Amino acid sequence: MASLPFIFFLSFFIISTTLTSAGAAAATIKLSLSPFPHPSSSHPYQILNNLVTSSVARAHHLKHPKAKADNTTSSLLRASLFPHSYGGYTISLKFGTPPQTLPFIMDTGSSLSWFPCTSRYLCSQCAFPNVDPAKIPTFAPKLSSSKKLVGCRNPKCSWLFGPDVASRCQDCEPTSENCTQTCPPYLIQYGLGSTAGLLLVENLVFPQKTFQDFLVGCSILSNRQPAGIAGFGRSAESLPSQLGLKKFSYCLVSRRFDDTGVSSNMLLETGSGSGDAKTPGLSYTPFYRNQVDSNPNFKEFYYVTLRKILVGDKHVKVPYSYLVPGSDGNGGTIVDSGSTFTFMERPVFEVVSKEFEKQMGNYSRAREIENITGLSPCFNISGYTSIKFPELSFQFKGGAKMALPLVNYFSFVGDDKVACLMIVSDNVVGQGSHGGPAIILGSFQQQNYYIEFDMANNRFGWAERSCA
C-alpha cells in the first residue's frame, strides 16, 4: 500500500484500553439496507452517465487492484438505515464507547472497513445530490474511550501492509517489544474514489453483542467517498473475517425506491457451528478463490463459475478464457455489491449486446441517448403498444440459473420512449487488455434477489424476492 505524501498529527488518541473477547455463541445480526438513490433531477442523463462511468471505473479497479445450519442459537439484531444518492446501498454501524452511529456503504469487493474521521475530515468531489460535503457524518475519536492506534508491530498492521511491514518501522529496534511507532498510513483506491488515513482498533457495537479490538480505518481525506465503507470481502481485515461470520445475506430493494427511505434487511450469522443445511428456496453455486500469486488482491473477491449466458433461448458464445481465470488469474466472474451496473469485458459484452440487437431488430437504435449516457444498446420504443424483450439468464456451475427480471437489465431512460440495456463495458478490445475479473455482477442486477454468501459451506445462493 502506498504511503501518503503528508503527515497526520493525531494528538487526540488515547493509547490504552481494556479488551475482552467476544462470545462464541452464534448470533444472527440483522442490519438495514437502503439504496444510494439517483433522485429526481433535471439532468437524468448526466446521472446515468455518472453511474456508467463509475461502474466502469470500479471494474478497472477490481480488475487491476493495487497491492495491499447447526445446533447453535441465534438472535436477530437490527440497525438503522441511512438513504443516500449515488448508486450503492448503506448500512448503519456503531463504533466506540459510547457508540457513535455512522452510515457505511456495503461493499463485497473490498475488505477494510473505515469511517470518515475527526472534524477535519475532507472529501473532495463529494457534492453528490443530497450530500453536503461539509456535513458528512464523522467519527470523533476524542469522544471514545476505547479507540487505540494500531502499532507498527501489531499483527493487524500486516493485514494491510504484508509481513514485511516491520521493515518500514524505522523507529523500532529489531529487538524491541514495546515499539510505539504507529502502523503506516493507508491509501485505498475505489475506481473513481479513494480514501486515506490511519488504522485503529475499536469496539464495533451491536445491541446484543460487542466486538472489541475491531480493525477499522480512520480516514482523514477522501475523494468521491461521502460515506464510509463496510468491507465484506474475503481478506483478514474484512468485517466477515473479523466477526467470524458463517454467512451473511441481503435483499436489495428496487431502485425505484431511491430516496424514499424504503429499506430491506441484511443478516449476519456468527458462531462455530458447521451445519450445511441450505436455505429453502435458494439456488446455489460454489465459490472459489483465485489463488494466483501475481496479484494477491484477487483472493479477496467472491468468484463464482459462470458457465453460460443466454439471451432469449440463444446461448451466446463467450470465449472460455473469460469465463474461468487462467494461470495468470485473469478472467472469471465475481459478485460485487459496490458496483452499480454489471460490467463485462468488451469481447463478452459485444456478443451479448449484438444478440440483443439481433433479437430486437424491429426497433430503431437511440444513438443520441447512447452517446449521452454511455449505455448501449438503447432502443426507440415510442408508438409500440407491446414490446418484446429477450430474457437474460446466467447459468452457473452445478446447473443453477439466474433468470433476471426485465427491470434488472433494461430500463426506461429519460421517459418511456427509450429503453437501454443496463450493463456496461469499456472501449478496450482484445486479449492484450484482458486482466482481472472479466464479469462483475453489480447491485443493479441483484435488485429484488435474496442473496446469500455462505462462507462456512463456500457457496453463493440466491432467489428472486420482493425485498421492500
Side-chain angles (χ1 to χ4, degrees):
M1 193 69 64
S3 297
L4 301 181
F6 49 83
I7 299 174
F8 294 112
F9 294 93
L10 303 179
S11 60
F12 41 75
F13 286 101
I14 300 174
I15 306 301
S16 62
T17 187
T18 302
L19 302 179
T20 60
S21 60
T28 300
I29 302 166
K30 178 182 288 188
L31 303 174
S32 294
L33 293 174
S34 60
F36 256 136
H38 39 80
S40 298
S41 170
S42 58
H43 304 288
Y45 297 143
Q46 185 59 51
I47 291 173
L48 272 172
N49 182 262
N50 289 342
L51 290 174
V52 169
T53 301
S54 64
S55 295
V56 172
R58 168 81 174 188
H60 278 279
H61 164 67
L62 295 176
K63 288 156 62 58
H64 305 283
K66 302 253 189 315
K68 72 136 205 142
D70 49 58
N71 293 322
T72 58
T73 59
S74 64
S75 61
L76 294 177
L77 307 178
R78 184 182 299 274
S80 301
L81 64 89
F82 290 85
H84 296 275
S85 306
Y86 65 88
Y89 291 79
T90 64
I91 59 174
S92 65
L93 296 174
K94 296 181 179 181
F95 280 93
T97 306
Q100 301 174 42
T101 303
L102 296 167
F104 294 79
I105 301 168
M106 189 270 295
D107 184 11
T108 63
S110 68
S111 290
L112 178 68
S113 297
W114 62 267
F115 39 55
C117 198
T118 83
S119 60
R120 298 190 177 187
Y121 176 74
L122 295 176
C123 189
S124 62
Q125 300 184 61
C126 287
F128 296 98
N130 297 336
V131 174
D132 182 349
K135 296 181 180 180
I136 293 173
T138 61
F139 182 80
K142 64 182 180 181
L143 299 181
S144 174
S145 62
S146 53
K147 85 282 186 175
K148 185 168 63 173
L149 276 169
V150 175
C152 198
R153 289 192 171 169
N154 187 319
K156 293 185 178 183
C157 182
S158 65
W159 287 356
L160 252 67
F161 297 99
D164 296 331
V165 67
S167 65
R168 302 171 63 179
C169 305
Q170 298 177 356
D171 296 339
C172 295
E173 294 293 332
T175 57
S176 172
E177 296 181 357
N178 299 309
C179 177
T180 58
Q181 183 178 350
T182 59
C183 189
Y186 61 81
L187 173 61
I188 300 176
Q189 301 287 336
Y190 298 101
L192 291 177
S194 62
T195 193
L198 292 174
L199 293 175
L200 306 178
V201 286
E202 182 56 286
N203 289 349
L204 172 55
V205 182
F206 294 97
Q208 297 178 22
K209 191 170 187 178
T210 295
F211 295 87
Q212 300 191 357
D213 211 22
F214 184 93
L215 184 73
V216 63
C218 168
S219 284
I220 310 298
L221 180 65
S222 297
N223 175 259
R224 297 181 63 86
Q225 295 291 328
I229 295 287
F232 277 80
R234 306 192 78 173
S235 296
E237 69 271 22
S238 74
L239 189 148
S241 296
Q242 292 196 68
L243 270 55
L245 297 187
K246 295 163 51 181
K247 67 174 66 173
F248 66 89
S249 58
Y250 56 76
C251 195
L252 303 182
V253 297
S254 169
R255 299 311 302 268
R256 67 188 177 89
F257 291 115
D258 284 3
D259 249 355
T260 67
V262 174
S263 69
S264 57
N265 291 318
M266 183 172 193
L267 303 178
L268 314 180
E269 185 173 342
T270 66
S272 57
S274 58
D276 61 357
K278 295 181 178 180
T279 301
L282 267 60
S283 299
Y284 287 93
T285 191
F287 282 129
Y288 70 89
R289 286 185 181 268
N290 191 334
Q291 298 288 0
V292 66
D293 293 327
S294 60
N295 198 325
N297 289 283
F298 291 164
K299 297 178 182 179
E300 78 174 341
F301 298 153
Y302 292 96
Y303 281 86
V304 290
T305 302
L306 180 61
R307 297 293 197 201
K308 295 179 180 179
I309 301 177
L310 297 99
V311 177
D313 295 328
K314 177 70 173 181
H315 172 205
V316 297
K317 301 297 184 182
V318 177
Y320 183 78
S321 61
Y322 292 96
L323 295 177
V324 177
S327 58
D328 58 0
N330 296 322
T333 301
I334 67 171
V335 184
D336 178 35
S337 66
S339 294
T340 303
F341 301 133
T342 288
F343 173 89
M344 295 179 177
E345 275 203 15
R346 200 70 196 181
V348 182
F349 179 80
E350 287 288 353
V351 295
V352 172
S353 62
K354 287 186 182 301
E355 187 59 34
F356 274 105
E357 293 171 25
K358 179 180 177 181
Q359 296 189 32
M360 298 183 69
N362 291 336
Y363 308 102
S364 63
R365 294 281 291 277
R367 301 286 186 180
E368 182 179 358
I369 301 301
E370 293 178 1
N371 293 334
I372 294 173
T373 64
L375 295 168
S376 178
C378 296
F379 299 97
N380 290 303
I381 56 175
S382 60
Y384 290 90
T385 56
S386 63
I387 307 154
K388 183 177 181 181
F389 293 92
E391 185 179 68
L392 177 61
S393 301
F394 300 130
Q395 187 169 314
F396 297 92
K397 181 178 180 179
K401 186 177 179 180
M402 178 183 283
L404 295 178
L406 179 61
V407 294
N408 283 25
Y409 63 98
F410 260 96
S411 181
F412 292 121
V413 175
D415 51 34
D416 60 357
K417 297 179 181 179
V418 174
C420 294
L421 180 66
M422 307 302 280
I423 293 174
V424 300
S425 186
D426 54 23
N427 293 319
V428 181
V429 182
Q431 286 288 96
S433 62
H434 179 41
I439 301 170
I440 301 169
L441 185 61
S443 62
F444 191 91
Q445 279 64 45
Q446 298 176 48
Q447 296 174 94
N448 283 322
Y449 273 93
Y450 181 87
I451 301 290
E452 181 180 278
F453 292 71
D454 186 347
M455 285 84 71
N457 296 288
N458 200 41
R459 61 195 178 197
F460 175 65
W462 68 91
E464 194 173 346
R465 299 275 175 86
S466 176
C467 297

